[in-house]
Amino acid sequence: MLLDGRQQGFECGTVAAKRDLFDQLYRYVRGLPTEEQLRAFVRDLSGRYHVDIMEFCKELCMDWSELATLAGDPLVTIGAHTVNHVMLAKVPERTARAEMAMSRAVIEASLGQRPDHLSYPVGDNTSAGPREFRMAEELGFKTAVTTRPGVLFPEHRDHLTALPRISLNGEHQQLRYVRVLLSGAATAMWNGFRKVDAA
Ligand SMILES: [Zn+2]
């Protein structure tokens, strides 16, 4: 495949090798400077290996009627997450603002609930920073979460659009691990015992 501007071949005969290649490619696309380059790379790769992206979406993503059922549960709060899942810090301010505002408008129109909360796509420092925190506030979101790991402290009241998030991604799904994460012990180590990371 074309990687870093040159044709490269990869060995992926075993599951371990496949995972390893996936990690390499993931790091590569995440490091690309713009959203367009990232999308072009994934489209090209999918086309080349006959992967139908739309089929994946149909199989894996909920449709509006399923979302409406979910939203009807009293324990569920639907939040906004942009329209195109763009890494907001990598696009012009106008685009980022439109992505946030539009996603809320579409959800409100479809589910009849106006989301008060936002989560930044991808959500690390390269995807959401002070500009996005300010925009979310200006747009009237009550809270917005990053994927910067951490738990809540009283000091976060001054940074409600830069909240940390505990990621449950299938690697920590045993309840006892989740409890450790929620205790803040693991993320305190990770953050060097600094409480708020909102810069
Ligand atoms: Zn996402």
Side-chain angles (χ1 to χ4, degrees):
M1 71 181 72
L2 198 63
L3 203 62
D4 275 332
R6 62 194 170 91
Q7 201 61 35
Q8 300 189 51
F10 294 93
E11 178 55 50
C12 50
T14 64
V15 172
K18 284 189 174 78
R19 281 187 195 280
D20 193 52
L21 176 59
F22 177 86
D23 289 341
Q24 282 184 54
L25 291 178
Y26 181 79
R27 273 196 299 277
Y28 173 74
V29 292
R30 280 292 307 280
L32 290 171
T34 69
E35 227 10 88
E36 286 90 81
Q37 285 166 285
L38 182 154
R39 281 160 198 256
F41 180 83
V42 173
R43 262 199 309 275
D44 176 63
L45 203 58
S46 306
R48 203 181 282 235
Y49 294 100
H50 311 291
V51 172
D52 185 345
I53 298 179
M54 284 314 289
E55 267 310 307
F56 269 124
C57 293
K58 270 188 232 152
E59 188 190 331
L60 298 174
C61 301
M62 300 175 86
D63 62 27
W64 284 108
S65 77
E66 290 168 321
L67 279 170
T69 306
L70 187 67
D73 189 295
L75 293 177
V76 171
T77 301
I78 301 288
H81 194 45
T82 75
V83 178
N84 293 297
H85 205 268
V86 293
M87 289 188 258
L88 295 166
K90 292 190 176 186
V91 298
E93 174 152 354
R94 267 185 53 200
T95 312
R97 189 180 290 272
E99 283 282 341
M100 295 184 195
M102 276 292 286
S103 65
R104 184 170 51 184
V106 170
I107 291 169
E108 186 177 12
S110 305
L111 300 179
Q113 301 176 6
R114 183 176 169 84
D116 285 326
H117 311 281
L118 171 81
S119 73
Y120 304 105
V122 186
D124 64 349
N125 302 28
T126 69
S127 320
R131 186 189 74 171
E132 287 65 44
F133 305 155
R134 172 177 52 77
M135 272 192 279
E137 206 177 308
E138 287 165 4
L139 287 166
F141 285 105
K142 290 180 182 164
T143 71
V145 289
T146 64
T147 52
R148 300 179 186 195
V151 294
L152 290 178
F153 294 100
E155 289 83 348
H156 280 110
R157 80 170 80 81
D158 298 325
H159 304 280
L160 289 178
T161 56
L163 298 179
R165 178 161 24 144
I166 299 283
S167 179
L168 295 181
N169 54 14
E171 291 177 40
H172 302 286
Q173 285 189 335
Q174 286 189 40
L175 205 51
R176 63 200 170 100
Y177 295 140
V178 174
R179 286 201 181 104
V180 172
L181 285 172
L182 292 180
S183 77
T187 51
M189 301 282 281
W190 177 283
N191 292 330
F193 295 93
R194 184 182 41 165
K195 289 181 176 175
V196 175
D197 176 14

